[in-house]
Amino acid sequence: MTAQYTRNALMLVGGVGVLVTTAQLVKIYHWLFPLPPQTEDEQNHSTEKSLKLEYLAELVNWPSVEVRRSAEQLLLDRVMKNEVTLDLLVSWCMSKDLSLVEKGVTVMCVLVKSVDLRKHPKENEFLSTLTEVLINTSSLYHQQTSDTGLSEAGLLEKIQKLAICGLFEVICDGESQKMYMVEHHEDIVGCVLTLVTNSQSKEVLRYGLFIAHQLTVQDSTRNLLMEYDGLRCIAMMIVRNHGDPILQRISLQILVVFLTACDLTVLKNEAIPKDTKAMLSEIVHQGALVPVVVCLRSEDPECTYWALALLHEFVVNEMYKEEICSVFGLLRSLAKTLSASDASIQRLILRLTCFLCLQNDDFKREVLNSRDLIKRLPVCFASSERDIAHWCLVLVHDLAFMGKSSVERLLEFGEGLMPSMVSMVHNHGDIAMKRLMAETLGFFCSNEHLLLRLVSDGLLTTILNFASHQDSELQFWASAMLLNMAMTSDEMKFEILKSGGLAVLMELVIAEHENTQIAVMAAKSLSMLGHTDQSLSVHLVCDGDNCRLAINDSIYHLNKPGLNILIWSTLSSSEVMILHYDVKNAWEVKDTKIVIPYKQHDEGNLVVISVRGPLKQAWLRAMRDVLLFQEESQIPLKGRYDLTDEDQCILLCTMAPGGRLAVSFLEKALEINTQCRYPYGEVVNQRVTDIAVVPTVKILFSTPPSSPISKVAELELLEIFARHFVLKETLLTCDGFVEYLSSIIVSFNELFLSQDIFTPIQVAHCLGVLRTLSVLSIYETCQGQLIDKGVIIHIIMLLYHLTGSWINSILDSQEGLGSPNELSESYTWESPIPSPTKPRSPLDSLSDLDINSHQLGVDQKAEEPSKVLQPNSAKESSGINPDFMKKVVEYEELLSSLARFAILVLSNCAESAGSNKEVLAEMGCVHMIWSVLLCCGSVLKSHLALPISTAMTSLACPGKKSNGNMILNRHHKTPALLLSSDQLQVRNDNWTFESISGNQGIKLDGSSLSDKGWYYEVTLKSSGIIQIGWCNEMCVFGPEKGLGVGDDVNSCSFDGERCKIWNGPASINVENDYGSQWGEGDVVSCLMSQSGDVSYWLKGSDLGVAFKGLRRDVTWYPAVSLSTDQQVKFNFGSSHFRYEPPIGYKSLHSEFYTREIPATNSFNEHVLFVRDLLPPLSDSDRLPIPSLYYETTVTLDTDFPFVYGLRTVTDELAGSSKVSCSINHDSITLPDDTQARFGPLESLPLTLGCGLVLPQGAIFFTVNGRPISKSFLLIMSKCTALWEIVR
């Protein structure tokens, strides 16, 4: 509040009025200067003076205001010039006689209120006098006893009123006056605060606050007020003066200034708060918080403003936010003030609300339910004040972040919200606002059923503008939103194309970006747009008067006589140009060269030609060199260029290379009314092929495969395009494409062979190739090419090198094998589970055995000993480059990704039918895949377990058939989905939305064996977007469209990541909130009742009925859809359910399988890693790779002796050979008849393991997961020997 506001307030609230006291001033003047005895001349002169003074006294009561004011001023000037009078006034004020003090203070108060004392000689004297009077009377007032008369107390109070009023008038807006006062009378500060706190007089309280305010707004005096505990005193005043807007306004401003401008470091009083948070706590301690909130309802805008400013200090310091939010009527007050206030208050309200919403979801919900507040937001967006629009956007952003229901509420209550947001972007176009707007629009785009409405409000136009911006963050958000829209529905795809989104997305794909995800998401959007079922509509109406053309929603007129050519861009969905050719004579037509403008990326544009007027025949024939009639157009050859005089002629063409026009439609008639449709999917695919796919391949080919120039961006795009069926064919038809990818893998393999130090870019190139190949390999038509062109064998070699590097890393970290010692009978066997703090070493208890390996022949034992195989000798003989191994460890995560996608390629190829399986087996694919699983770490193993089990089963058991169990249907799954060998587990490693259904379905016609319904469980191996439910035989999956289970009316599903249920397109799933968030490892139960009701359980907790009354005339199959990197495992009842189904519900397994299979409570899927085994096996040239390993457990119930090992299985004539160990109660016998003894098996079961290393034929054994320091080499007579487990 400015000083002028203070002065105006004083004029309103009181004080001793000038008109009331001027007459008294005249009387006092006569009394001060009585006339002495005078001579006659002197008496005449005095009479004149007396009459003049009396005359002035009469004038001050004159009816005329101007006369009255002039007389008053003249009288006051005469008094101020009389030093005797002023000195006498001062002496009266300092008198001990209270009546004289009262008279002197009264006159002095009138003078200081009526006359400007600035630069007056008596200014400081008056200031000191009033200060002393106030201090003295305050002291006397507090020293009063019960015997003090009421009249004296009243007189003291009156003097206090006059003195404090006069004092304020002197110091108001005067910096030097305030400094003089506190320097010469420091006690005045404490005196004023005491009066403010304890005085019973409203006038004293009021002027005390005024003086405190004057001291607060001045830097040099502010800290002194704090020293006297002014914060506590003023906070009390907010409570005490509730209902007085002026005093509350002043108190609020003082507190805000204290909080924002005080230098707390110079304060000496230890009892006062020393930081902002302590000051805020003191304000709350005085009970001022609720009154401050109530001040928001004040009719005084100044009071409202300072209340908001004080609350703002609370929230920005994270103090008492919950208490503020809990004050009754807070939002109602904010909404009311927001709708009827100026810009400064609106800005504070929005800022305050944003801070209150921060990390407070409950308050956000209250804000969303405040219709009055939300409906004001569009007006705030339209404000010309940038800060108001900014904080309004911040508030909408935070509210929209709450989820889809929040966006719906914002749009419901905030009528015109989206148009106002779109307009705000153009009005306040700084980059920070646009970035925040882009993120906010991203939240709005998550409401699929509202997208068409938002598009009509300008959402799509804004997104496309962001995509065309140079800022990478805006481009990122725009590409993400366009991808989300493209996944929603065909209607949205059409809107994107109609708005020119194809050109924008194409530019994002081919441009260079620091954030490569921009191009990746744009490419995914293009791929999805290429699967639209919508059409580009061209409506032609032509008669003798006019020719009208409608393309989508745009109207064009081609009415001019002669040749009219419209070129329409299929990229930007807009007119490029309209050409017009016209001459007066036919011979001039022949001389006219018709040129169709053509530049890069014009191929595929739509061209419409209208031939009109008397020379139309000549014009049509003049187009011969431009037009191309293709066979598929089915336009008759005869009469193509003939026209009658009455015919109108229309041609629809597409731009061909070189500016030629490929004619797709030709109509010649008196009147033409035709509608042509071009499949938009074909248009998109052709443009993407020409502008994105082929140029990307050319860029890739422009550098050698081994070049260090980055190819990462190009490979990322090709991985996406490879999933599109049409674009995939384009890639495969590019000469040398597959060979180029293979060459990159070869180059990387050579780095391993030469042990050169590889760089991250080389690893990234190889990884990009493998990711692309993992997509191509899902198609059987591609798998043959990958095998024939050597890609698969190079991938197997890559895996060989990777496993070799892992083993070397293991050996580098392994300690020595220990020295031979005889077994101690008191040896205690360790747990097979490795200690997290101690690395495993070879089994110490068997180290007394001869470490020389032995060769065993197929028919008899060999006598020639083999070379000693130990890790140390292996390392020395192999000559591993330590720098190379350091890089292997450094890039372990990247190398693991190489192994993951390499295995995925092999798994995809192995899963297909045909002769590929035999070829893969001959390449050593089985051994290599198994070696990778044994050598990799636990994280990688979790990714590889499913593809490896699928590949191993497919290659080892090619003729395996289902035994009638309820399983997932490999013939009703989308291509990229990976299915386990038992057909109960699925995983999606692709970017598309992959789906699968069961091989058996249920009917709701009463023919089932179930009394009430059916039940199955799904265990989540991940926690992303997964849709679990049912589909019927009419359901069609669309992975490239983002369509899965529940995305059409022939299916239903539950998604626990988004907590939604789906039963049709997103546009009709409005009220679909359901369930609670799921996590990795959770079990989801799906139930279908006989009446067609579907419900779900999550971790055994019933989520309620999701769908009611599904169709009874179709068959319903269990189904699931998975987004990228998601995996689930089904249990249809072939094993025990985690949760007991409801009474009367049957498992799907029992419904379709007549013989119940015994279920087990648990299934051990653990596979022991070579990192834990560490067999000490090698030769002089290279480290071996384990090809087979198994474990078995020996307990007290085992029949002894127990034999375990391996044996060869050949034909009957050749016989077989066995390498095994024999276990008794207290000893173990190795294959060379060496024995070792140990104590009785009393504490723990014994875990025994056996492994085979090929091609060396070395066999090793383990006890409790630790290898015995001895290996056995088998000399095989036939290289084709097969091995089986001996137990």
Side-chain angles (χ1 to χ4, degrees):
M1 187 182 73
T2 63
Q4 186 60 41
Y5 286 140
T6 306
R7 193 178 291 274
N8 291 342
L10 295 176
M11 295 291 292
L12 292 174
V13 299
V16 182
V18 174
L19 294 179
V20 178
T21 59
T22 305
Q24 294 294 329
L25 183 62
V26 175
K27 294 181 180 179
I28 292 171
Y29 191 84
H30 276 295
W31 183 77
L32 287 173
F33 304 102
L35 296 176
Q38 300 170 334
T39 62
E40 184 176 351
D41 294 337
E42 291 174 340
Q43 190 171 3
N44 292 335
H45 179 70
S46 298
T47 300
E48 291 179 3
K49 290 180 62 179
S50 176
L51 289 174
K52 187 174 183 181
L53 191 59
E54 292 174 354
Y55 179 63
L56 288 175
E58 293 180 3
L59 291 179
V60 297
N61 294 316
W62 202 262
S64 173
V65 175
E66 294 182 358
V67 173
R68 188 165 64 245
R69 287 180 178 177
S70 299
E72 291 170 357
Q73 191 59 46
L74 184 61
L75 181 60
L76 289 171
D77 290 342
R78 183 175 296 183
V79 172
M80 293 302 297
K81 292 177 181 179
N82 193 313
E83 292 187 6
V84 177
T85 304
L86 299 179
D87 291 339
L88 188 59
L89 283 175
V90 172
S91 65
W92 281 4
C93 291
M94 304 304 297
S95 173
K96 295 183 179 180
D97 185 349
L98 293 181
S99 60
L100 287 179
V101 174
E102 187 264 341
K103 291 180 180 179
V105 171
T106 300
V107 175
M108 190 171 291
C109 184
V110 171
L111 292 176
V112 298
K113 290 178 65 175
S114 305
V115 179
D116 185 8
L117 291 179
R118 304 294 159 84
K119 298 182 181 181
H120 191 279
K122 293 292 184 178
E123 178 187 6
N124 290 338
E125 189 174 0
F126 272 31
L127 177 59
S128 295
T129 300
L130 291 172
T131 304
E132 291 291 340
V133 169
L134 186 60
I135 295 173
N136 294 336
T137 53
S138 298
S139 176
L140 291 174
Y141 191 82
H142 291 299
Q143 293 174 5
Q144 291 182 88
T145 63
S146 58
D147 298 332
T148 305
L150 294 177
S151 59
E152 184 177 346
L155 187 59
L156 285 173
E157 186 174 307
K158 182 178 180 182
I159 294 173
Q160 284 179 348
K161 292 179 184 179
L162 294 170
I164 200 168
C165 174
L167 184 60
F168 168 75
E169 290 292 340
V170 175
I171 68 171
C172 185
D173 296 336
E175 294 187 10
S176 60
Q177 289 79 4
K178 285 180 276 189
M179 283 297 300
Y180 182 87
M181 180 183 71
V182 298
E183 287 176 357
H184 293 78
H185 308 279
E186 187 173 326
D187 293 343
I188 187 59
V189 177
C191 175
V192 170
L193 292 177
T194 302
L195 289 174
V196 168
T197 306
N198 301 323
S199 177
Q200 302 299 316
S201 171
K202 196 72 172 179
E203 291 295 317
V204 173
L205 170 62
R206 188 182 305 275
Y207 279 100
L209 280 176
F210 291 162
I211 292 175
H213 172 264
Q214 285 293 314
L215 297 177
T216 303
V217 296
Q218 184 163 313
D219 295 340
S220 58
T221 58
R222 184 184 306 120
N223 288 336
L224 187 60
L225 201 64
M226 279 291 295
E227 288 279 9
Y228 280 90
D229 203 12
L231 179 74
R232 181 187 61 82
C233 173
I234 302 302
M236 292 171 58
M237 291 303 98
I238 293 179
V239 181
R240 181 175 173 182
N241 296 310
H242 180 66
D244 189 327
I246 295 178
L247 297 187
Q248 284 191 314
R249 178 179 67 194
I250 294 174
S251 301
L252 290 168
Q253 184 181 5
I254 293 174
L255 292 179
V256 172
V257 175
F258 278 163
L259 292 167
T260 57
C262 267
D263 185 3
L264 302 177
T265 60
V266 301
L267 300 181
K268 300 177 181 179
N269 189 348
E270 297 296 331
I272 63 174
K274 289 298 190 298
D275 58 68
T276 303
K277 292 188 176 182
M279 295 167 68
L280 293 170
S281 298
E282 179 63 29
I283 294 172
V284 174
H285 181 70
Q286 298 302 324
L289 187 59
V290 174
V292 171
V293 176
V294 174
C295 287
L296 297 177
R297 309 176 193 172
S298 174
E299 298 297 331
D300 183 0
E302 287 288 322
C303 184
T304 302
Y305 174 84
W306 289 110
L308 287 168
L310 183 56
L311 291 175
H312 177 266
E313 292 302 315
F314 276 98
V315 296
V316 296
N317 286 281
E318 297 291 328
M319 296 287 289
Y320 300 98
K321 290 173 60 176
E322 292 185 6
E323 288 78 359
I324 294 173
C325 293
S326 62
V327 175
F328 178 77
L330 171 66
L331 285 174
R332 187 168 62 250
S333 300
L334 291 175
K336 180 181 178 181
T337 308
L338 185 63
S339 60
S341 56
D342 57 18
S344 60
I345 295 180
Q346 288 178 348
R347 180 172 57 251
L348 267 179
I349 290 176
L350 292 170
R351 185 179 171 92
L352 174 66
T353 308
C354 288
F355 278 104
L356 290 176
C357 287
L358 194 63
Q359 298 179 346
N360 190 340
D361 290 348
D362 292 336
F363 186 73
K364 288 180 184 177
R365 295 186 188 95
E366 292 183 25
V367 174
L368 287 167
N369 291 326
S370 175
R371 182 185 293 270
D372 292 337
L373 182 62
I374 299 300
K375 74 179 183 181
R376 187 66 184 173
L377 297 182
V379 180
C380 294
F381 274 120
S383 173
S384 58
E385 293 283 341
R386 180 194 177 280
D387 283 351
I388 293 178
H390 168 76
W391 285 107
C392 186
L393 180 58
V394 172
L395 179 59
V396 172
H397 171 277
D398 293 347
L399 295 177
F401 184 73
M402 289 282 289
K404 294 184 178 181
S405 59
S406 302
V407 173
E408 293 172 2
R409 185 59 57 89
L410 285 170
L411 295 174
E412 177 186 355
F413 290 169
E415 184 177 355
L417 181 65
M418 182 54 64
S420 65
M421 292 172 65
V422 171
S423 299
M424 187 272 292
V425 175
H426 301 291
N427 297 334
H428 307 285
D430 58 279
I431 192 63
M433 292 276 280
K434 288 184 176 180
R435 288 175 177 174
L436 185 60
M437 174 63 76
E439 188 173 344
T440 306
L441 294 181
F443 301 145
F444 278 76
C445 286
S446 63
N447 284 49
E448 293 87 352
H449 64 281
L450 296 174
L451 281 177
L452 291 175
R453 168 188 167 185
L454 295 175
V455 166
S456 64
D457 289 339
L459 171 67
L460 183 56
T461 303
T462 303
I463 293 174
L464 293 176
N465 288 335
F466 286 163
S468 302
H469 202 279
Q470 297 301 314
D471 183 71
S472 60
E473 190 170 331
L474 288 180
Q475 291 178 336
F476 174 82
W477 277 104
S479 58
M481 287 185 281
L482 289 171
L483 176 59
N484 185 72
M485 290 180 169
M487 294 175 61
T488 304
S489 64
D490 264 11
E491 289 79 6
M492 276 309 309
K493 293 183 178 70
F494 181 69
E495 291 293 335
I496 293 173
L497 294 169
K498 188 173 65 173
S499 301
L502 183 58
V504 174
L505 288 169
M506 208 76 74
E507 183 62 32
L508 291 177
V509 168
I510 63 179
E512 294 185 2
H513 307 281
E514 292 182 4
N515 186 351
T516 58
Q517 286 302 305
I518 297 173
V520 167
M521 289 188 290
K524 291 178 180 179
S525 299
L526 290 174
S527 181
M528 291 190 171
L529 291 176
H531 286 86
T532 181
D533 295 327
Q534 297 285 332
S535 297
L536 172 61
S537 176
V538 181
H539 189 194
L540 302 166
V541 177
C542 192
D543 53 30
D545 298 326
N546 63 74
C547 181
R548 186 174 70 254
L549 169 68
I551 305 179
N552 290 336
D553 297 332
S554 302
I555 306 296
Y556 305 95
H557 295 276
L558 305 177
N559 297 326
K560 295 181 180 180
L563 189 63
N564 300 276
I565 304 175
L566 167 67
I567 303 176
W568 194 85
S569 173
T570 53
L571 280 176
S572 60
S573 294
S574 62
E575 169 195 336
V576 176
M577 64 180 65
I578 296 179
L579 303 176
H580 178 242
Y581 292 90
D582 187 26
V583 293
K584 296 181 179 180
N585 303 305
W587 61 268
E588 293 182 89
V589 174
K590 296 180 181 180
D591 295 337
T592 303
K593 185 177 181 180
I594 300 174
V595 179
I596 305 298
Y598 177 83
K599 60 182 182 297
Q600 188 181 18
H601 304 329
D602 278 352
E603 186 177 346
N605 282 344
L606 184 65
V607 180
V608 183
I609 302 173
S610 170
V611 187
R612 300 172 62 80
L615 300 178
K616 54 190 174 184
Q617 175 73 71
W619 282 119
L620 182 58
R621 292 179 178 177
M623 295 284 293
R624 286 177 182 270
D625 295 337
V626 179
L627 301 179
L628 293 173
F629 288 90
Q630 300 174 346
E631 294 183 3
E632 55 267 24
S633 65
Q634 297 181 349
I635 299 174
L637 178 62
K638 185 178 180 180
R640 285 179 178 175
Y641 298 99
D642 296 334
L643 276 176
T644 65
D645 293 339
E646 294 81 11
D647 285 345
Q648 307 293 327
C649 182
I650 290 289
L651 296 92
L652 291 183
C653 314
T654 54
M655 189 81 74
R660 301 290 298 275
L661 303 180
V663 182
S664 57
F665 175 81
L666 172 61
E667 178 77 9
K668 294 179 286 187
L670 181 62
E671 293 184 355
I672 299 175
N673 190 342
T674 303
Q675 188 165 10
C676 300
R677 294 186 179 275
Y678 290 84
Y680 241 139
E682 295 180 8
V683 173
V684 173
N685 293 334
Q686 183 60 47
R687 302 313 299 266
V688 173
T689 298
D690 296 340
I691 299 176
V693 178
V694 173
T696 300
V697 174
K698 290 181 178 179
I699 294 173
L700 194 67
F701 285 0
S702 65
T703 58
S706 59
S707 172
I709 299 175
S710 177
K711 311 174 184 66
V712 174
E714 289 77 17
L715 290 170
E716 285 181 336
L717 294 179
L718 295 179
E719 177 193 355
I720 296 167
F721 294 142
R723 185 61 182 88
H724 191 288
F725 184 81
V726 175
L727 304 181
K728 175 259 301 181
E729 293 297 328
T730 301
L731 292 176
L732 294 177
T733 54
C734 291
D735 291 338
F737 175 71
V738 175
E739 291 84 350
Y740 186 90
L741 298 183
S742 180
S743 298
I744 294 178
I745 301 176
V746 171
S747 299
F748 195 76
N749 282 335
E750 291 174 352
L751 294 175
F752 274 95
L753 290 174
S754 61
Q755 296 185 19
D756 288 339
I757 305 301
F758 48 79
T759 62
I761 196 65
Q762 292 170 319
V763 182
H765 287 167
C766 189
L767 179 59
V769 168
L770 291 173
R771 293 179 69 101
T772 303
L773 292 174
S774 69
V775 178
L776 292 173
S777 61
I778 67 177
Y779 302 102
E780 291 189 23
T781 55
C782 301
Q783 293 166 2
Q785 289 194 44
L786 300 184
I787 294 174
D788 296 340
K789 296 183 179 181
V791 176
I792 299 301
I793 192 63
H794 294 312
I795 291 177
I796 293 176
M797 290 300 299
L798 174 63
L799 291 175
Y800 180 85
H801 295 312
L802 289 175
T803 51
S805 67
W806 290 333
I807 292 176
N808 279 309
S809 298
I810 295 168
L811 295 177
D812 279 337
S813 62
Q814 190 67 25
E815 297 178 358
L817 299 178
S819 59
N821 290 306
E822 188 171 352
L823 283 173
S824 171
E825 294 185 0
S826 62
Y827 177 81
T828 302
W829 296 92
E830 294 185 5
S831 168
I833 302 175
S835 168
T837 59
K838 177 182 177 182
R840 290 190 173 188
S841 60
L843 191 62
D844 298 331
S845 59
L846 295 179
S847 60
D848 62 322
L849 301 178
D850 184 7
I851 63 175
N852 290 331
S853 299
H854 293 263
Q855 296 177 338
L856 303 179
V858 174
D859 299 318
Q860 60 183 3
K861 295 181 180 179
E863 297 180 357
E864 182 180 358
S866 67
K867 182 180 177 180
V868 177
L869 300 177
Q870 294 182 0
N872 289 335
S873 63
K875 288 170 61 179
E876 292 170 1
S877 61
S878 61
I880 298 297
N881 183 349
D883 293 333
F884 177 77
M885 290 309 304
K886 183 179 179 181
K887 284 295 180 183
V888 170
V889 175
E890 182 179 346
Y891 298 143
E892 182 175 1
E893 185 175 349
L894 285 173
L895 297 179
S896 297
S897 298
L898 293 180
R900 175 185 170 188
F901 285 97
I903 290 293
L904 193 58
V905 175
L906 298 182
S907 179
N908 289 337
C909 293
E911 193 178 5
S912 65
S915 60
N916 291 340
K917 295 181 180 180
E918 297 180 2
V919 177
L920 291 173
E922 292 175 359
M923 291 179 177
C925 186
V926 176
H927 292 153
M928 197 66 256
I929 290 176
W930 184 251
S931 300
V932 171
L933 183 62
L934 292 178
C935 296
C936 65
S938 57
V939 176
L940 181 57
K941 183 236 177 181
S942 65
H943 288 284
L944 297 184
L946 182 57
I948 284 182
S949 64
T950 301
M952 292 288 288
T953 303
S954 179
L955 293 173
C957 307
K960 183 180 179 181
K961 296 181 179 180
S962 171
N963 59 358
N965 282 2
M966 176 70 203
I967 55 177
L968 297 173
N969 189 353
R970 67 171 60 253
H971 302 294
H972 194 226
K973 76 176 184 71
T974 51
L977 200 63
L978 190 62
L979 181 61
S980 65
S981 56
D982 62 0
Q983 295 182 235
L984 292 175
Q985 195 167 175
V986 286
R987 177 179 178 84
N988 178 24
D989 290 290
N990 212 276
W991 65 268
T992 45
F993 199 45
E994 305 293 329
S995 306
I996 192 171
S997 64
N999 66 335
Q1000 304 280 2
I1002 57 176
K1003 294 185 178 181
L1004 305 177
D1005 56 3
S1007 60
S1008 167
L1009 301 175
S1010 174
D1011 296 331
K1012 292 187 177 180
W1014 300 267
Y1015 177 96
Y1016 72 87
E1017 290 181 344
V1018 178
T1019 302
L1020 304 178
K1021 302 292 186 179
S1022 57
S1023 59
I1025 295 178
I1026 303 171
Q1027 294 177 193
I1028 301 171
W1030 304 85
C1031 70
N1032 60 45
E1033 57 268 24
M1034 292 180 288
C1035 177
V1036 178
F1037 300 137
E1040 299 87 356
K1041 295 182 178 182
L1043 301 180
V1045 182
D1047 292 327
D1048 69 358
V1049 293
N1050 296 306
S1051 60
C1052 61
S1053 66
F1054 164 52
D1055 175 8
E1057 165 67 14
R1058 295 174 287 184
C1059 297
K1060 297 287 184 180
I1061 52 176
W1062 308 95
N1063 182 217
S1067 57
I1068 66 173
N1069 284 282
V1070 180
E1071 301 294 336
N1072 63 336
D1073 291 334
Y1074 178 83
S1076 56
Q1077 190 100 15
W1078 61 31
E1080 184 175 348
D1082 290 349
V1083 174
V1084 181
S1085 306
C1086 187
L1087 299 86
M1088 168 89 78
S1089 70
Q1090 282 280 12
S1091 60
D1093 294 344
V1094 176
S1095 58
Y1096 294 89
W1097 295 355
L1098 181 59
K1099 296 186 290 186
S1101 177
D1102 190 356
L1103 301 179
V1105 176
F1107 307 98
K1108 292 185 177 182
L1110 296 185
R1111 291 178 58 180
R1112 306 179 65 86
D1113 58 341
V1114 295
T1115 302
W1116 291 96
Y1117 300 83
V1120 67
S1121 297
L1122 303 97
S1123 59
T1124 307
D1125 292 333
Q1126 303 306 309
Q1127 182 174 339
V1128 297
K1129 182 178 181 180
F1130 280 78
N1131 182 4
F1132 295 115
S1134 58
S1135 61
H1136 281 320
F1137 288 125
R1138 178 75 64 86
Y1139 304 102
E1140 191 68 25
I1143 298 175
Y1145 278 74
K1146 294 181 68 68
S1147 69
L1148 292 175
H1149 170 79
S1150 62
E1151 178 74 23
F1152 301 107
Y1153 195 62
T1154 56
R1155 178 175 62 86
E1156 287 287 345
I1157 297 178
T1160 57
N1161 290 324
S1162 62
F1163 178 70
N1164 185 12
E1165 297 176 330
H1166 178 68
V1167 176
L1168 196 61
F1169 295 125
V1170 145
R1171 294 180 184 276
D1172 297 328
L1173 293 178
L1174 236 28
L1177 305 168
S1178 71
D1179 57 28
S1180 60
D1181 297 325
R1182 61 183 177 182
L1183 291 172
I1185 299 173
S1187 302
L1188 179 63
Y1189 178 80
Y1190 76 93
E1191 286 184 345
T1192 185
T1193 302
V1194 178
T1195 66
L1196 294 175
D1197 299 328
T1198 303
D1199 295 330
F1200 292 100
F1202 179 84
V1203 179
Y1204 79 107
L1206 295 171
R1207 70 180 176 187
T1208 60
V1209 180
T1210 58
D1211 55 68
E1212 296 181 358
L1213 296 177
S1216 64
S1217 178
K1218 178 174 67 176
V1219 180
S1220 62
C1221 288
S1222 178
I1223 306 295
N1224 292 307
H1225 286 89
D1226 58 356
S1227 65
I1228 178 172
T1229 303
L1230 297 176
D1232 59 352
D1233 295 330
T1234 305
Q1235 289 189 352
R1237 295 186 303 276
F1238 47 83
L1241 301 173
E1242 295 177 351
S1243 57
L1244 291 174
L1246 196 63
T1247 301
L1248 307 174
C1250 180
L1252 169 67
V1253 178
L1254 293 176
Q1256 294 90 337
I1259 297 174
F1260 61 91
F1261 298 92
T1262 66
V1263 179
N1264 281 353
R1266 302 172 68 182
I1268 299 172
S1269 302
K1270 194 166 190 177
S1271 63
F1272 303 90
L1273 190 62
L1274 183 68
I1275 300 176
M1276 296 176 290
S1277 60
K1278 291 187 177 182
C1279 296
T1280 58
L1282 300 178
W1283 292 87
E1284 74 174 10
I1285 295 172
V1286 177
R1287 280 195 298 192

